[in-house]
Structures are given as C-alpha cells and as structure tokens.
Amino acid sequence: MSRHASDIRRQFIEFFEKRCGHTAVPSSPVVPHDDPTLLFTNAGMNQFKDVFLGTGSRPYSRAVDTQKCIRAGGKHNDLDDVGRDTYHHTFFEMLGNWSFGDYFKKEAIQWAWQLLTEVWGLDKSRLYATVFAGDEKDGLPADTEAEQLWKEVTDIDPAHVSRWGRKDNFWEMGDTGPCGPCTEIHYDLTPDGSGGPLVNKGTEGVIEIWNLVFIQFNRGEDGKLSPLPAKHVDTGMGFERICRVLQGRSSNYDIDLWTPIFMAIEQRSGARAYRGRLDDPVDTAYRVIADHIRCLTFAITDGAVPGNDGRGYVLRRILRRAARFARQTLGVQGPLLHHLVPAVVEAMGDAFPELKKNPRHVAGIILEEEESFGRTLDRGLELFAEALYRAQSAGRKAIAAEDAFRLHDTYGFPIDLTEQMALERGMTVDLEGYNRLMEQARETARAGASRGKAGAQIALTGDAIARLKHMGVEPTIDVDKFHGRSISARVKAIWNGTDFDNHTHAAGSPEFLGIITNRTNFYAEMGGQVGDVGRIFNNGGGEFEVVDTQAFGGYVLHIGRASRGKISLNDTVELDVTNSHRAAVRANHTATHLLNLALRQTLNADADQKGSLVAPDRLRFDFSSPGAVSVEQIAAATARVKEAIERNLEVFALPAPLEEAKKINGLRAVFGERYPDPVRVVSIGVPVDQLLDAPGATKWRDHSIEFCGGTHVASTKEIGDFAIISEEAVAKGVRRITAITGPAASAACATAAQIDAAIRELRDLPAERLPVEVSALVERLNDAVMPYAERARLRGEIEPWLEKVKEIRKQAARADQHAIIDQAKQIAAAAGEEPIIVAEIAGANAETLRSAADVVRSQRPRSAMLLASAIPEEGKVAIIAVVPEALIKRGLKAGDWVREVAVVCGGKGGGRPDMAQAGGREPDKLHDALERARGFADGVLSASK
C-alpha cells in the first residue's frame, strides 16, 4: 500500500466514507467567519460546534474530512514550540470522523483500531490507549465504558490501556463550549518497542496519533458542566504525525509533504540542504520557515491578512518570526517568504484547490509585509543597540523593561529575540517589568474591547441557550422579518445578561434587557446588516424600546429598555419595527449588492467581498484589491450603480436548493461563509426561477446575484440616490469603500455643486479677499460630506487658487520686509554688547525671520540671538537661533536652544550648533517661549563660567 501523504489522506477519508457510511465534507476555512470566539479554526469540530450545542443541524449524521487548522493564538498556541522539535506546527491538517447523535464509543474505538491495524497495518504491540480517570472537581467518574470497550472490541494488549486525569483525557475546545472525556491512541517509536512508560510523558519516543472525543457536556461560563441534548463523537488525527509513523520517519518534517517547500527554501536562500537535526540552527530555521509559510499561505488564502490586532497580529508575528530566521540564520538579506508560496501550492493544492485560485495575491501580501518588516528590523536592531548602551552605561546587567516592551510593541520583536540578543552580549532582560507592561497593554485592549454596543452587554451565552432549551423555550420563528409589518407575539423569556427575569425593569432604568418572543418581525443582525429597532408593547400600558436585535443559537433577542410600565413573561405583545430605520437599511443593502457588481465590472472579476456593514446611515464594503482604487474607477463604479437605480430594476428573493444555486453563472458569495440549504438567492433585474432554469447562461454575469439573508427594496428606484464618500485601505490587499444613499447622497452631491460654484466665483473677488475666502473653501472641502470623486476633482480646481494665495502672501511679505529689517536694526542697536539677544519680530514669517537674523548677526557678531514671530492667521510660530563659535564652546548650541523653546509653544525643531530653526503651533504662547529662551541661555552660560 502506498505511503505517500496524499494517499494516506485519501485512504482515511475512503475508509469512513465507503466502509462506515460517512459523508465526506470539505474543510472549513482556517478563518472562522461565523464564530467570534475563535481566532483561527483550531480543530476539526469547529465547523460542527452548532450541532454539538443543539442550535444547528446537518443533512447527515456521520461525517469525515481533513480540516485545515492553525494553532498560534489563544488556548491552543503552539507557536513557540515550532522549529525546536520535530512535531509541533502552527498550521496542520486534522483528519477526523464525527457522529452527530448516531454511533458512540463502541464504533469509534472499533473503527479506529481497524483502520490503524487492518488497513494501515501498524504494529499492534506498539499501540497504547488512554482513557479518562474521572475528576472530583467536576463530579465525573472514570470512563470505565471506554476502558472495557478497548478490551472487548479490539485485540489490543490490555496492559496497554491506562487511565489518565483531566489534563490528558478530558477534551475542551476552550474555556466554554462542548467538551467530554476522550480516549487517546499513542504509538511507540522507540527502537526496541519499550516505550510503554513514556506514554503521556511529552517525549518523542511515544507520540499521540489519534484522539477520540466523546462529546456529551457543555461547559458554561460559570465553569459548570451540563449535558448536551445528544451525545456525539469527534475524533482528530494529526495528519503529519500519522504520515510520519506510516512512512517510518523520525520527524514530522521528514515526510514527503515538506519536500517541495524545503527545496524552494534551499534554492531561494542559497543555504545548504536540510539535514533534520534538532541541534543545528540552520535546520531549525528550515522548519520554522517551512511551517510558517504554510500557515501564512492558507490563512491569507482564506481571507485573513497580517495586521495590528486579533488574528492579523498573530499572522504578523508568524511572518516576522520566519523573516528573522531567514535573515539571521540563513543570511538572506531581502524578502524570501513570498517566493515560497508556489511550493506550498505545489505540495497541497490538489487537496485544497482554493490555494490555486490566486497565489500571486497571497504572495503580494506577504511581500509587502516582508519589505515593511525588513525596514523595521534594521531600525529595531539599532534600538536594541541603544538600549544595550543605556543599560551598560548605567551599570545594569539587564535591558530595561521599557526598552524590551517598545521593541515588542512597536517593532514586532518577540521577547525571546530580545532575550537571545541580550544573552549573546552577557546581559539579561527585565522580564518582570516587561510582563507588567504587557499586562497593562492587555488591560487597555480589554477595556477598549468591552466598550461595545448595548447587545454586547447581554449576549446569550451557551449556558443561557442550554437553559432556554431546558425551560422548553423553542427557537424564535422569524419568517416575518422580511416584511417587517407589525405582528402579535408572546413573551417567552426576559434576559438581563446573567439570569432570566419575570418582568422588565422599571421605566427609566439604565440597564439593558433582552426580550425573547415566540415569533418576531424584527431582523436580527446578520451578514453585515444591523439589527432592527422599534418597540414592543402590551395592552396594559407596558412599552419596551428596542435599540438592537441580535440572534444567538436560533433565539432572537430584542435588546433595549422599558420606556413605560412593564412587560412580563407570557404577555401577549405587539412588535412594531421602526419603518424609517428599516427603509434606510433596505436601501443601503440593495445598494451594496449593486456596488459589488459595479466594482467587479470596473476593476476585475477577482474583487472578492471581504466584509460589509449595512447600517441606516451608510454602507461599507470591503473587497480584495492589490492597490488603491483610482478616482476614475470610483466615478465609473458610481455611474454604474446610479444607472441601475434609474432603471428601476425589480429585486427578487427566493430560497433555492444550495447545490442548484451554486451553479448559477455570475453568482457571488462570501468565501468561507456557511450557507443554509435551501439558501436564499437575491437577484436584481431577473427572477430567481429564471436563473435556476438556465443556471449556466453567460448573460447572468451582468446581473447582481448573491446568496443573502438580508432585507431589500422592492425595486432599485427606492434607493433614490447613491454616492461613494471614501475609499481607503483596511489591511494588506483589502480596500474599503463607504457610501451613502437616498437624501443623504443627494445632499452630498448638492454640497459638491455649491463648493464648485463658490470656486468659480473666486475669479470675481479682489486680491485682498482671496486668502480668507480660499482658506474657508479648503476647510469646507476637507470637512464636508460629498462624493469621493467630486472631492478629488474640486481639490484639483482649487489648487491654482492656493498657488495664487501663496503669491499674494509673498508679495505682502516683501512689502513688509523693509519694516522687519528696521525692527532687526533697532533690536541690534538696543542690545549693545549683550551676549544674549532674545526678541520678537512682529509680522515675520520663516523666510523674513531669517533675513532679520542676518541683519542682527551682521551688527552683533559676538552675540547669540533667538528671534521668533507669531503667525496667528496660520496658527504657527517661527523661531530661529544663531550662536557664535565662542558661545558654542561654552555649551550654548542653537539646536538645543530652539528645541527647548519650541516645546513651550507646542512645536519642535533643531539643527546645527551655530544655526537652527523651529516651529510651534500655539502663537498665544510666544511670550512664554521667549522667557524660556532667555532663561535657558542664561543658565547654560552661567554654568560655564
């Protein structure tokens, strides 16, 4: 039997698909778009979490797949171990089979044994099984059932079955969520097969190859376990590890999966070939770089991008770690990682075809990050040298905590690199202080994250959902959410964020509550569209103002406060959606679909949606693009949207079988999003049934066709008007457009027209009024809401007037120059033989101030002078200092002098010891600055006597 990695993957899936009746399902993306509790998909069961919680279902009860996983942040974080041993990875594949309320422990154990020993022919004497020993804290007994099954349904050596505690044999995905006891299968890799005592000892002599998890509990936020509605099986087998065992290798990195990547590193870096040693820094670098480029390629392909927070920050750390090893260990001076993307595609593109879609885009994002880090790495090395000098000068043996934190926080230097560099120079790092600063930074971040909207305060937790089910509360029926007309419903629960109440709080209470009814006409936030607002009221005078609507596990939570009276559990209530809010959101959502189509037509077909926000006052659309969108492209996209609005196209929405809908030519969907079956198809200008009748027709590519569960207008004319008001970068390779519709868009266009007319009127104004009028127009142009393309055009229109104003001011300055020269002569004459001259030159700018300084210096060459001028109309202060050689020798330097003075008036500056200039932003502080100038100079010269 073939032992190639690709064959091993196929054999696993075929065993469960053909022999055990499982459905083979595709891997979910490593970026979990529908689970905010995860940075990355870190286990095969992530995509089935809703099934385990009882809030979702699948059309099958048995599944098998190979799941793309990343463990480099949060609870499951293997980043620091990667490269230092032979089996840790940031990215890896997890082979798995699942049962959703179908088979349980017996079949899971029996089939695992059959695959390992009968299909793959592993040596039974080298296989060991561990089971859960129980846990007093959770009140759980030992898993004697699994222990006995190993002895009954397999022919494993009974002495190879052992009990272990919660740490090793109770699986939990996170601090909360589905969990349960597990049985792990270990393989003895020792030469003589004597590795029994090494099970669960963390050595490479005996490694875990398969974990069979019996999911039967949910851990709530209070830490307590509650039974799940049904028992499930979730197994996970590390693909790289089983390949290592089956291929007879001593390291995960020795299997054939890595060969193309190692060859690419060797060719691109010029380093000697990989030898597989743990004590060789070059081999460590190979492992780090190869692992990290796999992780980066998959993550970016699935929609993540390096950034400054969340998963983006984790990816940036991974990229920079690999780049450091390339630079410092392999001696590569330029970017390397982006050259390795094709090797990853070669190794894994057949199993994961999405890698082949746009590898150049992935490589481009990595290249930008590499070039950016290359610059910061050089600067970081300089800063480390400065930190080292400060520590040594002060007689310290440790790099200061503040310096280590700055290197980490600003320049991406992990603390282990700072420690390593310090160690090489006989120093340490103040880790206690560093950790204190890191914790302060985390607290700041947590505080910022907690300042969310009302809904975040009372989100339904997994524990709350389980309690609702136990209370017999059915998920909310929301079929009325699309029409939004008022309906009657019954109050089934009132949630206060930690518990369920029987009544709403008294009117005027600041606390938010969430009301759950048996049915609703409110749209809960989903797919980027914000939730509805409105009111809930009963016949007894109770009224509840709904400020947000969210959905959790099938329950729709109407979030808000009581505005009068009270509403109680089991009340019959009326649900009234605010129509103006709903209408604005509908218009913006349909406009988002039109914009999506327009961008693909204007830019290219690969301008994939990366995210969106549909709110009543604006729409926001994120999409992939290698660079900024030009003004001309923005104008063209805007024109296409406006044309569609003017054509008054009908908007159609209809549910359709998922597989049939996927075949529609021109259909757009968000990559990584999990869609229901049937799925709702929204098309503009063509009925959905026509699309389904002829899904392959090329003409459909000219229409907006999307999977969408949101609300929309009946026809495009209802949108009214449309304007793109901004275009910006949000991440590497991702751009964001913000737009408005309806009256707001019309007002923005009108504002642009008014400013356009005002610019044309400038030609009729006398020259003396132009500076004030042009300045006011520039301020208005910068601050006003208007179409993006119009703003760019108007900036071009006003540019000649700005040049004209500059010329007018130059002429005025020349006219005033004689007066300024006279002031300078008077200052020089009044100073006599004083060594220090500090004075204000009224009406001067930076240029004429230099002329004044020349005059004073010509008449008082032995004096040090500092001259300054306030320019109130520009909000500026100009400062210049000149110091003769004799006074420089006594310690007075012009650069230091102006720097000290500029701080007083809100500025900065510097320069040579003999002449320097500075500026300030607070003209009203000029006199305080001049006082400081004299005091500073007197102090320096007094100290030198």
Side-chain angles (χ1 to χ4, degrees), residues 82-83 253 258 261-262 265 269 282-296 318-319 321-327 329-330 332 336-337 340 344:
V82 174
Y253 291 94
W258 298 97
I261 306 176
F262 283 159
I265 295 172
S269 69
V282 171
D283 288 343
T284 298
Y286 264 97
R287 289 188 291 270
V288 168
I289 294 168
D291 172 273
H292 289 7
I293 191 58
R294 283 208 317 173
C295 180
L296 291 164
I318 291 171
L319 188 148
R321 186 170 187 253
R324 284 193 293 103
F325 273 90
R327 170 79 72 89
T329 306
L330 300 187
V332 179
L336 167 72
L337 302 179
L340 307 179
V344 177

Side-chain angles (χ1 to χ4, degrees), residues 13 26 37 129 149 197 208 210 217 227 322 348-349 371 385 395 439 478 506 554 569 582 630 707 728 762 899 921:
I13 293 175
T37 67
L149 283 168
E208 174 206 334
W210 205 345
F217 302 108
M348 310 193 72
E371 290 176 335
E439 184 56 33
D478 64 352
L569 193 63
R582 167 66 74 100
S630 69
F707 290 161
E728 60 188 328
L762 290 175
R899 188 179 299 112
R921 296 187 301 274

